[in-house]
Amino acid sequence: MHEQASAYGLWLLVAINSALFIYFAFSFAPPKTSRDWRSLGAFSAFILALFTEMYGFPLTIYFLSGWLTSRFPQIDWLAHDSGHLLEMLFGWKGNPHFGPFHVVSNVLIIAGFWIVASAWRVLHAAQKAGKLATTGAYARLRHPQYVGFVLVMTGFLLQWPTILTLLMYPILVYMYVRLARREEADARREFGAEYERYAAAVPAFFPRLRKGSAPAQRRHPDAP
């Protein structure tokens, strides 16, 4: 029982992991408007809820404990590895860190952070030059940073699904879509036909299989 109890209550790990991911989000998408701050606040709440259940208190497991223990009596639901619910529910017998859902989760998280970081480099360079960012991720998507954050959240849901993060996920996706649409409306008012050509050539969130051509460069409106 002592080993089981020590699997959680690791609040220092909650604080460290939450701070690292929130700082990353702040660094590569620094908020400037009230909408940006609300978006960052919602993402921060998602991260805090995730790591609180991962290392602090397993609320989802306790909430579902009756059903879990009756349906899967062979699993020690107080053990930390049991928090990888998808591996447990689908009967993965090995280390959950090497399970299929965890592997896909790692791919999505790494890909999401890579997209956010690479898009920021392109955007920052374009802003300094006063041009529209049309290279790198911005040649394939108009809002690669938002797509990157959604991939990160999707990866975390596959790795450690919780009731709170499942409820928060669609709200955050909706907020990112609304934020992107408002930025596009501002861009159309500012850049007119030039942005229309860019929007016609480059999709917002889902890249085309075949890369289209983008217009001449100028400052990109997807600046945070």
Side-chain angles (χ1 to χ4, degrees):
M1 284 300 295
H2 178 70
E3 290 182 1
Q4 291 175 346
S6 65
Y8 295 98
L10 306 175
W11 296 106
L12 181 60
L13 284 179
V14 174
I16 292 174
N17 282 278
S18 299
L20 284 175
F21 283 101
I22 293 170
Y23 177 76
F24 184 92
F26 180 87
S27 299
F28 289 99
K32 293 184 177 180
T33 67
S34 59
R35 295 197 305 263
D36 297 337
W37 281 107
R38 286 195 298 271
S39 175
L40 178 63
F43 180 80
S44 300
F46 179 94
I47 293 297
L48 283 169
L50 170 75
F51 285 113
T52 295
E53 292 214 34
M54 188 178 293
Y55 297 115
F57 181 80
L59 177 64
T60 297
I61 290 177
Y62 274 92
F63 186 80
L64 301 175
S65 60
W67 179 79
L68 291 172
T69 54
S70 62
R71 184 73 182 273
F72 306 94
Q74 75 281 8
I75 296 177
D76 177 10
W77 291 106
L78 290 180
H80 184 75
D81 284 350
S82 301
H84 299 272
L85 286 175
L86 293 179
E87 267 78 12
M88 298 297 104
L89 297 181
F90 280 87
W92 179 257
K93 301 301 183 183
N95 189 323
H97 296 88
F98 300 102
F101 293 102
H102 201 289
V103 171
V104 174
S105 164
N106 287 337
V107 171
L108 291 176
I109 292 171
I110 293 171
F113 280 137
W114 180 83
I115 291 172
V116 172
S118 61
W120 172 250
R121 288 194 295 268
V122 173
L123 178 60
H124 184 64
Q127 286 178 328
K128 290 179 65 176
K131 296 179 180 179
L132 176 67
T134 60
T135 60
Y138 284 97
R140 304 301 299 270
L141 297 169
R142 299 200 302 275
H143 305 286
Q145 288 181 293
Y146 299 151
V147 172
F149 282 125
V150 171
L151 288 178
V152 170
M153 292 189 301
T154 304
F156 276 130
L157 281 182
L158 289 176
Q159 181 177 145
W160 201 278
T162 74
I163 293 173
L164 286 178
T165 52
L166 282 170
L167 291 174
M168 295 170 68
Y169 180 86
I171 297 174
L172 265 166
V173 172
Y174 176 71
M175 289 183 67
Y176 283 136
V177 172
R178 284 193 63 190
L179 184 60
R181 297 309 184 198
R182 289 178 179 178
E183 289 177 354
E184 289 185 348
D186 294 340
R188 285 184 169 90
R189 285 192 294 269
E190 182 176 356
F191 299 108
E194 183 179 5
Y195 185 77
E196 293 290 353
R197 289 193 297 271
Y198 175 75
V202 180
F205 305 109
F206 300 98
R208 299 189 181 101
L209 294 179
R210 297 183 61 183
K211 183 178 177 180
S213 58
Q217 290 192 346
R218 195 175 170 189
R219 181 173 61 83
H220 197 279
D222 193 21

